[in-house]
Amino acid sequence: MQRFAPLSHHLASKAINQSLLLVRVGWQYRIQSVARHHQRLTSTNSGSNSERGDGSNSSKSSATSSNGSSSRSVRDSYPGPSQKPSTRPSSPPLDWDENPDLSISAFSQLPSSNFGVNQHMLINDEFKEALRQILWQFRAPIRYAFAYGSGVFPQTGSSSVISPLHPNPSPAISTVQKGKNKMIDFIFGVSYTQHWHSLNLHQHRDHYSAVGSLGSSFVSRIQDEWGAGVYFNPFVTVNGTLIKYGVVNLDTLCRDLSEWDTLYLAGRLQKPVKILRDDPRVRLANQVNLISAVRTALLLLPPSFTEQELYGTIAGISYLGDPRMSVSAENPDKVRNIVRHQLPNFRRLYAPLIENLPNVSFQDPRCNSPQWIDDPTANAVLAQDMDPVKRGNMVRRLPKFFREKLYFQYQSKFQIPQLEFNQMLENSDDSDPTRVRRKQGGEFEQRVAGDEHKALNKEVKVAIRRTIKWPSASQSIKGLVTSGAGKSWRYLKEKFEKNRQGNSKRTKDSEKADDRHQKED
């Protein structure tokens, strides 16, 4: 199967020795300049004590292209400030995800010096700085933060007919959004929920609904004990920009990323986001989340498939149980729009992970070219090995809570006695830190992986829906309380309008296709 050329092959070519083209190597994209490689890829303490978690400095590019993006700085994709060359390996061991240590507190404790670089997306420098300036307006400490959604990464076919207007946005935000004025969504990861809300209520009482008058203790209880553990404040103006921000405890975030107990935030981070402040523990947990998303998608896909099918399957995971999709409160083409417009970002996020999985690879010679990464017209073909042993290992390495749901479904299907099944669950328990073991699939996992494709597809989707449905529904109900009646109605009205516009566009596209076929006949 076709693989990418190794780094040594590219370094041997004098013609590209000093270029800044990104080459796919292992778990990261490296600069081909060796000196810059050491300067920009060795971060040991970024993110935990600095807002510049992805390692960019204050200098910004001034060249702006026709689509509103400046010439993208390669440094934007790397994790931290310049340090002395690291003595740690640049690539992690192949079994890094078998027993990840989620108690780490420093970037130097990650499996390798470049670990998780693929999570950092390239965006316009001025736009990135405008987003960071919004974070600076919060005195309460934010340990981890990312911006996401169509306000940051425009989607094909998205509309802003009734989108809220930014009162006084920065020129960079107006340029990137092309005047469409879309609300920008943020997630803030914090260490101490009640303390954070106490400080934020004192500074930004107007961000909260009437719930805020009950104090930070009540607010934090609503956040942590109801729904998916996130407290949203929508339709607030910061730095002249209309934003929505969700607050989540770092422990809650890392648990969802590594174990998929709700898939609420894990699903958001399975799509490209712009990380503005980084944290080593979250980076490690999110890498577990991303490779788990690939494995789950492979279980749903046939032996051969395209990039768009793979990324569409991954992007669609979090929408399978989303109640908004079943009550016409979202654009029905949302997943397709996300993938079509962000194909290069999906490659940056997932191509390094795909390369290191033993049972899947790209089958397109175009993938050997560095230009392929940014080519939105390419749609490479991939192939996976359907050997039940390898796929059984994938099943065994699925996130804990999601895997247990799938196991229970197949216990019923295979009619496995309860005592035997309980013993199997105990043997596969990963919660005991004193028990270090290789996550190899056994006879049961191989039976699951070897199930008929349509049947396996159905069971995996049922497990996804069961994981997502209740947390997502209860989170939506919580939003009615925490946002207040006025903001909740405004939010729902926009979602229903997006659904109407999506259905209208789908109808028009279908009519155009019918007219074209009639002319051809």
Side-chain angles (χ1 to χ4, degrees):
M1 293 185 176
Q2 185 65 43
R3 292 277 186 181
F4 281 75
L7 179 64
S8 58
H9 171 76
H10 294 281
L11 291 176
S13 175
K14 295 182 179 179
I16 58 174
N17 188 47
Q18 296 300 321
S19 72
L20 293 179
L21 295 175
L22 295 177
V23 179
R24 208 179 111 197
V25 182
W27 289 78
Q28 69 282 329
Y29 293 91
R30 289 187 191 162
I31 301 175
Q32 290 178 322
S33 168
V34 176
R36 289 175 180 173
H37 165 77
H38 284 298
Q39 290 175 353
R40 291 174 175 166
L41 290 181
T42 53
S43 169
T44 59
N45 61 356
S46 65
S48 60
N49 59 2
S50 170
E51 77 285 359
R52 299 188 182 279
D54 62 356
S56 61
N57 54 38
S58 59
S59 62
K60 297 180 285 295
S61 171
S62 60
T64 303
S65 64
S66 58
N67 65 358
S69 297
S70 68
S71 57
R72 292 174 171 177
S73 170
V74 174
R75 68 172 183 275
D76 186 40
S77 64
Y78 298 100
S82 298
Q83 302 287 337
K84 294 179 181 180
S86 173
T87 57
R88 294 187 297 146
S90 60
S91 297
L94 295 178
D95 60 351
W96 70 268
D97 63 317
E98 290 195 6
N99 295 282
D101 181 9
L102 295 176
S103 65
I104 63 173
S105 59
F107 284 91
S108 59
Q109 295 174 293
L110 288 169
S112 67
S113 59
N114 314 333
F115 188 86
V117 163
N118 56 303
Q119 298 174 24
H120 288 274
M121 297 295 105
L122 310 175
I123 66 171
N124 172 286
D125 278 348
E126 288 80 7
F127 182 47
K128 175 182 63 181
E129 189 61 28
L131 297 178
R132 284 195 174 133
Q133 288 300 319
I134 290 174
L135 299 186
W136 274 105
Q137 305 309 308
F138 292 85
R139 295 175 192 153
I142 301 170
R143 290 289 304 275
Y144 180 83
F146 66 87
Y148 67 99
S150 59
V152 181
F153 302 99
Q155 298 170 13
T156 301
S158 63
S159 175
S160 59
V161 173
I162 61 170
S163 289
L165 297 176
H166 300 305
N168 185 29
S170 74
I173 290 176
S174 297
T175 300
V176 169
Q177 294 193 346
K178 299 179 181 178
K180 290 185 177 181
N181 294 301
K182 286 182 170 291
M183 184 167 65
I184 298 178
D185 298 335
F186 293 87
I187 292 293
F188 299 159
V190 304
S191 298
Y192 304 100
T193 305
Q194 183 176 345
H195 177 65
W196 195 93
H197 283 294
S198 177
L199 295 175
N200 201 49
L201 278 164
H202 182 73
Q203 182 188 8
H204 297 300
R205 175 61 186 86
D206 58 314
H207 290 186
Y208 293 78
S209 67
V211 173
S213 62
L214 300 176
S216 60
S217 177
F218 188 78
V219 169
S220 63
R221 285 182 61 189
I222 289 180
Q223 175 183 315
D224 294 332
E225 298 176 12
W226 194 2
V230 189
Y231 191 101
F232 281 105
N233 282 327
F235 300 108
V236 299
T237 301
V238 180
N239 266 16
T241 304
L242 204 68
I243 71 168
K244 176 182 74 176
Y245 64 92
V247 183
V248 62
N249 188 280
L250 286 178
D251 291 337
T252 301
L253 175 59
C254 289
R255 184 173 61 251
D256 192 34
L257 291 173
S258 60
E259 299 181 357
W260 285 13
D261 59 338
T262 69
L263 260 173
Y264 190 81
L265 291 175
R268 279 165 170 76
L269 282 160
Q270 287 164 6
K271 296 174 278 291
V273 303
K274 181 54 191 174
I275 297 172
L276 301 168
R277 293 186 187 176
D278 208 350
D279 177 88
R281 191 158 59 110
V282 179
R283 189 188 291 187
L284 176 58
N286 193 32
Q287 204 75 340
V288 173
N289 173 45
L290 295 175
I291 198 168
S292 298
V294 174
R295 288 174 174 143
T296 303
L298 291 177
L299 292 174
L300 294 169
L301 290 166
S304 181
F305 49 90
T306 66
E307 280 185 287
Q308 290 196 11
E309 289 173 332
L310 171 63
Y311 304 141
T313 301
I314 292 173
I317 288 175
S318 62
Y319 291 109
L320 278 175
D322 192 331
R324 295 176 302 175
M325 304 300 288
S326 59
V327 297
S328 301
E330 191 55 88
N331 187 337
D333 292 324
K334 187 177 183 69
V335 171
R336 186 177 66 175
N337 291 342
I338 291 172
V339 174
R340 286 177 61 188
H341 199 80
Q342 297 188 56
L343 191 55
N345 284 334
F346 274 98
R347 288 186 185 124
R348 289 188 180 91
L349 194 58
Y350 287 107
L353 302 178
I354 293 168
E355 183 187 5
N356 281 267
L357 286 173
N359 59 324
V360 61
S361 64
F362 288 92
Q363 296 290 290
D364 196 319
R366 290 177 296 180
C367 298
N368 289 314
S369 169
Q371 285 77 16
W372 163 76
I373 296 297
D374 291 310
D375 184 359
T377 64
N379 188 20
V381 175
L382 297 91
Q384 64 169 319
D385 189 341
M386 303 300 283
D387 175 27
V389 174
K390 292 182 179 179
R391 286 170 68 80
N393 291 338
M394 286 203 308
V395 171
R396 176 63 183 86
R397 296 186 181 194
L398 292 174
K400 176 184 174 182
F401 288 110
F402 175 73
R403 184 180 71 238
E404 288 179 354
K405 288 181 176 64
L406 189 64
Y407 281 9
F408 278 114
Q409 290 168 208
Y410 272 97
Q411 179 207 10
S412 176
K413 182 173 182 176
F414 294 156
Q415 297 183 340
I416 299 175
Q418 190 63 45
L419 289 177
E420 180 183 341
F421 183 72
N422 290 341
Q423 183 63 46
M424 185 183 67
L425 287 181
E426 182 181 347
N427 292 337
S428 64
D429 184 17
D430 306 321
S431 60
D432 187 351
T434 64
R435 302 168 70 182
V436 178
R437 65 189 74 191
R438 294 189 62 82
K439 295 183 180 179
Q440 300 293 329
E443 181 181 352
F444 174 76
E445 286 83 5
Q446 291 173 21
R447 285 185 68 190
V448 171
D451 197 9
E452 195 268 331
H453 178 69
K454 288 185 178 180
L456 177 60
N457 192 293
K458 176 184 176 182
E459 296 295 342
V460 171
K461 287 183 177 179
V462 168
I464 293 172
R465 291 190 181 97
R466 288 179 174 174
T467 302
I468 296 171
K469 191 171 183 178
W470 171 244
S472 184
S474 56
Q475 184 70 40
S476 297
I477 296 170
K478 180 170 75 173
L480 298 176
V481 177
T482 60
S483 301
K487 290 181 177 179
S488 296
W489 172 246
R490 184 179 180 181
Y491 178 80
L492 288 173
K493 188 168 66 172
E494 287 195 8
K495 290 298 182 181
F496 283 122
E497 179 62 18
K498 285 184 178 180
N499 177 268
R500 186 193 66 78
Q501 292 173 0
N503 285 326
S504 177
K505 185 177 184 302
R506 180 181 288 185
T507 300
K508 290 179 180 178
D509 291 344
S510 178
E511 290 174 350
K512 289 180 181 178
D514 290 342
D515 291 342
R516 186 166 56 250
H517 292 154
Q518 289 177 3
K519 290 179 180 179
E520 291 175 355
D521 293 340

